[in-house]
Amino acid sequence: MLNKELQHKPVMCEEVLSILNPSDGCVYLDGTLGAGGHSRKILESADCSVIGIDKDPTAIELCRDLEKQYGNKFLSINGSFGNLSQHLNSIGINKIDGILLDLGTSSMQLGTPERGFSFQFDAPLDMRMTQTGETAYDIINSLSEDSLADIIFYFGEERRSRKIAKAIVNKRKIKKIKTTFDLNEIVLSVKKGNNKKIHPATKTFQALRIYINNELKDLYEALISIEKVLSEKGRLVVISFHSLEDRIVKNFIKENPNTILVDAGDFLTMSQQTLKDSLVAEAYGLLPYDALLYGDQELVLDARTLNRLRGQLGTTLVGTNIDRSDLFTSKIIRRITKSSFR
């Protein structure tokens, strides 16, 4: 299903543009192309070029209009941003002036029931961004109880991961777990009376999606590749929405001495020029229920984007001058490969 209804307003667009500061003659990389919202805004801001990468072939199709409108100023690549160095080398690009990574799922993925990303629709368990390889159905119905528990715990930070994994294995002994509603029902049976702000199945679904799509490994590899492709005064913007992504980016920042951290309150109040002069800005804050306020502007978000962001927003805007590739090691990264769960 390819239509404009699947497209969503790009998150924190003004802040992204403020940090990237698109300039004439420069080349930018949108590593999470999605429906092309951020790419379009960058192209509208200057006489520049944008390369968009997305592992989801549906995203590439949705952005054909950008190719028609901007010609050789816009190029889309179907692939992972974890391989951004290879993608750029394949088209003869050595340096990039700015990079954007808007992590997580997009509205088009969540809003397409047959993709199996959301527990809000009764659909086959899929969750593949690439639309190839193992599905969530394969994982749920084949991995051991311990492996499922590890995935749900490490990639979902779900405290009841062991009980949920046990319930999954017990249920599949009776019949295959085929749909998102099947899995949701199992999680709800374990997390009865859960009164948290988020849906009880959110962390389990997140964990499976991250695992299936190698999301944290891609992020880690992308950050390492930055030192090879980011120009001397280039800028990287990473928008993250949960603590796992945020932790990887934070460790990346801490291990690079040539970055500047800006306090959250300063980020929301400093002038645009100050923001443009900053290499790194970190912003944390609670979202109101109906809008985000940035400076004097009010950004009204659609319901799905609001639900995606509601709670604690973790956004990391990262600078340049990266000179280390062995950035950090962590328990999460050491367990990142699929083979470690089998």
Side-chain angles (χ1 to χ4, degrees):
M1 181 171 61
L2 300 178
N3 57 58
K4 296 298 181 181
E5 293 179 1
L6 294 176
Q7 301 190 32
H8 67 287
K9 189 167 186 175
V11 174
M12 297 187 73
C13 193
E14 293 303 317
E15 285 64 39
V16 168
L17 293 177
S18 180
I19 297 295
L20 281 182
N21 189 25
S23 302
D24 293 352
C26 291
V27 181
Y28 299 92
L29 174 69
D30 184 349
T32 45
L33 182 58
H38 284 115
S39 287
R40 184 179 297 278
K41 291 295 184 181
I42 294 171
L43 288 164
E44 291 173 351
S45 299
D47 184 15
C48 59
S49 299
V50 172
I51 300 165
I53 298 176
D54 205 297
K55 63 172 61 175
D56 192 335
T58 301
I60 304 301
E61 291 301 315
L62 279 173
C63 293
R64 295 301 182 197
D65 61 329
L66 282 177
E67 294 179 344
K68 293 178 181 178
Q69 181 176 353
Y70 289 97
N72 60 8
K73 295 288 186 181
F74 176 78
L75 173 67
S76 62
I77 299 174
N78 186 199
S80 169
F81 62 71
N83 300 320
L84 63 89
S85 291
Q86 296 93 309
H87 292 313
L88 293 175
N89 287 336
S90 70
I91 57 175
I93 300 292
N94 297 318
K95 293 294 180 182
I96 292 290
D97 299 296
I99 299 173
L100 167 65
L101 301 177
D102 180 7
L103 306 175
T105 50
S106 67
S107 290
M108 81 174 170
Q109 291 165 335
L110 291 172
T112 308
E114 60 267 27
R115 299 295 298 275
F117 283 100
S118 175
F119 46 74
Q120 295 181 348
F121 305 108
D122 189 12
L125 278 168
D126 193 325
M127 302 193 194
R128 300 169 300 169
M129 292 182 180
T130 62
Q131 302 182 34
T132 61
E134 288 183 310
T135 65
Y137 169 86
D138 297 325
I139 300 303
I140 285 294
N141 289 285
S142 66
L143 293 191
S144 69
E145 182 179 324
D146 285 344
S147 293
L148 287 172
D150 282 347
I151 289 171
I152 296 170
F153 179 77
Y154 286 111
F155 294 144
E157 298 182 300
E158 172 57 73
R159 293 183 178 181
R160 301 189 189 181
S161 61
R162 300 291 159 189
K163 292 183 178 180
I164 292 172
K166 185 177 182 63
I168 288 171
V169 171
N170 288 338
K171 188 69 174 181
R172 77 188 190 194
K173 289 177 181 177
I174 302 172
K175 67 173 185 176
K176 294 287 187 181
I177 301 166
K178 296 181 178 180
T179 71
T180 53
F181 275 16
D182 289 342
L183 179 58
N184 183 45
E185 183 180 343
I186 293 170
V187 177
L188 290 176
S189 72
V190 174
K191 302 183 71 172
K192 294 178 181 178
N194 189 292
N195 294 317
K196 298 290 184 181
K197 292 182 179 180
I198 65 171
H199 189 281
T202 297
K203 293 183 177 182
T204 298
F205 273 70
Q206 171 191 299
L208 290 168
R209 189 204 80 221
I210 289 174
Y211 170 75
I212 290 167
N213 295 291
N214 283 314
E215 292 180 37
L216 301 187
K217 181 173 181 288
D218 282 348
L219 175 58
Y220 178 64
E221 292 181 343
L223 292 173
I224 291 175
S225 296
I226 289 167
E227 63 172 348
K228 302 176 183 177
V229 302
L230 200 60
S231 63
E232 184 179 351
K233 294 184 178 181
R235 292 168 181 184
L236 167 69
V237 178
V238 181
I239 304 176
S240 62
F241 296 98
H242 60 72
S243 60
L244 295 176
E245 299 166 340
D246 194 52
R247 194 176 302 136
I248 291 174
V249 179
K250 277 185 173 179
N251 279 311
F252 170 78
I253 294 172
K254 290 176 183 177
E255 291 296 327
N256 287 276
N258 296 318
T259 58
I260 300 172
L261 298 180
V262 180
D263 181 76
D266 291 338
F267 176 82
L268 295 178
T269 59
M270 66 174 61
S271 68
Q272 278 199 353
Q273 187 57 49
T274 304
L275 279 171
K276 290 176 181 178
D277 292 340
S278 301
L279 291 179
V280 178
E282 287 191 284
Y284 293 90
L286 295 178
L287 281 127
Y289 287 102
D290 56 353
L292 277 171
L293 295 175
Y294 293 112
D296 297 328
Q297 294 185 344
E298 182 176 26
L299 174 62
V300 180
L301 304 177
D302 63 271
R304 185 176 293 120
T305 301
L306 200 60
N307 286 333
R308 179 186 179 194
L309 295 176
R310 181 172 289 137
Q312 186 166 359
L313 172 66
T315 302
T316 307
L317 303 168
V318 188
T320 182
N321 294 331
I322 309 305
D323 60 3
R324 295 182 62 183
S325 58
D326 186 16
L327 301 176
F328 69 96
T329 58
S330 71
K331 193 170 186 179
I332 293 295
I333 292 301
R334 286 198 298 271
R335 300 185 66 91
I336 209 73
T337 57
K338 289 188 176 181
S339 60
S340 65
F341 290 96
R342 296 187 181 279

